[in-house]
């Protein structure tokens, strides 16, 4: 493994310094929640090694919510990032071929690269609505392709494949006998179409998700992978046991409590995101120097400054950060030029969101040539 730090982590708000940020528009989650918000009192929890697959109650709940009959088709991991790592390190070795959509969450790309895999990039383009080109995807599959890695709903753009598209991709994976990894971290978040967990549709699919983004509790590090294939689950368990044996019984206890409140939380959460989305949409429609592919889901978008605006991009970020205290995810976090920006609109308070968008607009104008 040849590890390099990802820009999205090196330049994250916690590394940049929260004290420097007035308007944090980088986060792709809802605002962090306190343990008391979950109605939990931690007073007498036994602290043994837990079930290596994860707390049976939590796995049973995830299986039920995923329309999967067997809880042993679920493995609990240290956040979705850990699940992604387990899959990549289990399926890949130096020279192995895999296909990953780009742009994407950093770990989906960085881990295969660190392994030394032969990575094929399925580029999702602004001009094509950041859609997954399924014909192009199939043309990239080789006899030695190990797996396809997609994110749905998509980070950073907020776009989403519909059910029929998901089924088409699964058909392609089954036809060529390759694994399909579907990062579904945002599946429970604000959207215009309710999708099933992809792993419920085929044993060739590995679905990954977590409690970090939609549930606002990234500090407990609870994610999971779901797959109906027994050999795959055995391999992921072997990998987990070599990395950490099992998970934190405290984290898994809290995770079970949080996920048990899903119905009430999602309704409240989606209503907040809808309000904030309306604010962002209105801003884009009235901001002459910005254009976007309108998102269908989650709480993030990936607009860009129009090339015709004549903006000095380096100056733009400096003014936006230093003068207006606004922080966003620059395009290079995702392998794009920096006139693209990822804006997360669920984490900031409404006043912070409005001030942050105003700061972007002001910085654009001050950085024009």
């Amino acid at each position: 493994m040849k590890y390099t730090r990802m820009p999205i982590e090196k330049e994250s708000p916690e590394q940049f310094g929260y004290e420097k940020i007035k308007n944090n528009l980088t986060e792709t989650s809802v605002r962090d929640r306190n343990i008391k918000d979950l109605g939990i009192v931690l007073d007498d929890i036994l602290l043994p090694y837990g079930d290596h697959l994860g707390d049976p109650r939590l796995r049973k709940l995830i299986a039920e919510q995923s329309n999967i009959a067997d809880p042993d088709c679920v493995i609990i991991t240290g956040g979705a990032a850990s699940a992604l790592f387990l899959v990549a390190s289990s399926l890949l070795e130096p020279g192995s071929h895999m296909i990953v959509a780009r742009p994407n969450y950093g770990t989906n790309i960085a881990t295969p690269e660190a392994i030394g895999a032969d990575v094929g990039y399925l580029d999702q383009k602004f001009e094509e609505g950041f859609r997954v080109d399924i014909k192009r995807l199939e043309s990239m599959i080789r006899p030695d392709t190990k797996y396809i890695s997609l994110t749905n709903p998509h980070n950073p753009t907020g776009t989403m494949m519909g059910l029929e598209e998901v089924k088409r991709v699964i058909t392609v994976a089954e036809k060529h006998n390759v694994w399909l990894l579907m990062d579904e971290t945002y599946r429970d978040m604000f959207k215009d179409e309710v999708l099933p967990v992809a792993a419920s549709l085929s044993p060739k699919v590995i679905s990954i998700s977590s409690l970090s983004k939609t549930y606002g509790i990234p500090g407990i590090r609870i994610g999971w992978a779901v797959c109906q294939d027994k050999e795959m689950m055995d391999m992921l368990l072997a990998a987990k046991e070599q990395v950490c044996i099992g998970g934190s019984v405290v984290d898994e206890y809290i995770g079970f409590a949080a996920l048990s409140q899903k119905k009430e939380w999602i309704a409240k959460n989606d209503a907040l995101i809808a309000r904030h989305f309306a604010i962002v949409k209105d801003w884009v429609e009235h901001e002459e120097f910005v254009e976007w592919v309108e998102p269908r889901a989650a709480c993030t978008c990936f607009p860009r400054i129009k090339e015709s605006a004549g903006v000095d991009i380096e100056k733009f970020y400096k003014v936006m950060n230093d003068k207006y205290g606004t922080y966003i995810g620059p395009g290079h976090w995702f392998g794009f030029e920096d006139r693209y920006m990822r804006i997360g609109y669920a984490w900031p308070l409404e006043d912070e969101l409005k001030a942050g968008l105003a700061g972007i607009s002001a910085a654009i104008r001050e950085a024009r040539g």
Side-chain angles (χ1 to χ4, degrees):
M1 299 285 286
K2 296 182 178 179
Y3 292 110
T4 57
R5 291 194 71 198
M6 297 178 287
I8 194 172
E9 301 301 347
K10 286 194 297 184
E11 302 166 18
S12 63
E14 57 269 26
Q15 296 296 307
F16 180 74
Y18 283 113
E19 72 281 358
K20 301 176 186 177
I21 304 172
K22 294 179 182 178
N23 311 304
N24 184 355
L25 274 57
T26 63
E27 307 291 353
T28 57
S29 64
V30 296
R31 205 169 187 90
D32 301 330
R33 302 164 74 192
N34 193 293
I35 197 167
K36 68 181 180 181
D37 297 333
L38 304 174
I40 298 174
V41 177
L42 301 177
D43 56 359
D44 188 21
I45 298 177
L46 190 65
L47 301 176
Y49 283 111
D51 185 315
H52 292 190
L53 279 171
D55 185 309
R57 297 175 305 165
L58 178 57
R59 290 190 291 110
K60 182 175 184 291
L61 184 58
I62 292 169
E64 290 172 350
Q65 295 179 357
S66 303
N67 197 29
I68 298 288
D70 186 358
D72 286 348
C73 293
V74 179
I75 184 170
I76 306 301
T77 61
S82 178
L84 296 170
F85 180 88
L86 294 182
V87 172
S89 59
S90 295
L91 291 178
L92 301 175
E93 56 188 38
S96 295
H97 184 252
M98 60 87 67
I99 300 167
V100 60
R102 185 172 60 181
N104 213 317
Y105 172 63
T107 301
N108 278 306
I109 293 175
T111 302
E113 289 180 340
I115 291 170
D118 180 3
V119 182
Y121 300 103
L122 178 67
D123 288 318
Q124 296 179 230
K125 302 175 182 179
F126 182 99
E127 292 75 17
E128 297 175 357
F130 289 121
R131 68 181 179 87
V132 173
D133 187 326
I134 299 174
K135 287 186 178 179
R136 189 189 309 158
L137 169 63
E138 184 167 18
S139 73
M140 295 172 66
I141 296 175
R142 305 187 328 206
D144 62 340
T145 301
K146 299 297 185 181
Y147 74 98
I148 299 162
S149 176
L150 301 178
T151 302
N152 197 48
H154 186 243
N155 177 18
T157 68
T159 56
M160 186 177 79
M161 289 185 290
L163 179 57
E164 292 309 310
E165 291 173 291
V166 170
K167 288 180 176 179
R168 285 178 59 201
V169 173
I170 291 173
T171 297
V172 168
E174 291 174 336
K175 173 184 174 182
H176 295 275
N177 195 31
V178 299
W179 292 101
L180 172 61
L181 183 154
M182 194 72 83
D183 183 342
E184 298 176 332
T185 298
Y186 301 93
R187 193 187 70 87
D188 283 341
M189 194 177 276
F190 176 73
K191 54 200 171 295
D192 62 14
E193 180 182 357
V194 178
L195 296 176
V197 171
S200 70
L201 303 176
S202 170
K204 291 301 294 184
V205 180
I206 307 164
S207 287
I208 287 174
S209 193
S210 84
L211 295 179
S212 298
K213 303 302 184 181
T214 304
Y215 295 86
I217 46 176
I220 68 166
R221 309 311 303 136
I222 291 294
W224 58 86
V226 180
C227 183
Q228 296 186 67
D229 185 272
K230 183 66 164 62
E231 290 185 5
M232 172 57 67
M233 293 306 297
D234 286 346
M235 184 161 54
L236 295 180
L237 178 58
K240 179 183 177 181
E241 288 173 332
Q242 292 190 40
V243 171
C244 60
I245 301 178
S248 161
V249 296
V250 176
D251 285 4
E252 291 175 3
Y253 174 85
I254 298 171
F256 172 72
L259 200 56
S260 296
Q261 303 167 19
K262 174 179 177 176
K263 184 177 180 180
E264 296 79 11
W265 171 249
I266 293 300
K268 176 182 177 181
N269 202 38
D270 282 355
L272 180 145
I273 296 171
R275 293 195 301 271
H276 284 206
F277 170 73
I279 292 169
V280 178
K281 183 174 181 178
D282 181 72
W283 172 73
V284 172
E285 289 176 349
H286 290 88
E287 175 47 75
E288 60 179 313
F289 298 122
V290 169
E291 56 190 350
W292 73 346
V293 174
E294 184 174 324
R296 290 185 59 198
C299 64
T300 182
C301 58
F302 200 50
R304 68 184 183 186
I305 298 172
K306 294 178 181 178
E307 201 161 15
S308 60
V311 171
D312 180 331
I313 297 298
E314 185 176 346
K315 182 178 179 181
F316 161 72
Y317 279 95
K318 182 172 178 53
V319 170
M320 182 180 58
N321 293 162
D322 296 348
K323 184 174 180 179
Y324 295 102
T326 295
Y327 205 54
I328 57 178
H332 72 262
W333 285 6
F334 309 97
F336 276 58
E337 57 184 302
D338 280 344
R339 68 188 181 96
Y340 289 83
M341 63 189 85
R342 187 184 71 179
I343 296 175
Y345 46 85
W347 195 92
L349 300 175
E350 186 172 315
D351 287 348
E352 294 169 346
L353 176 60
K354 290 178 178 178
L357 297 173
I360 295 171
S361 291
I364 287 173
R365 283 154 179 78
E366 292 184 35
R368 294 187 71 207

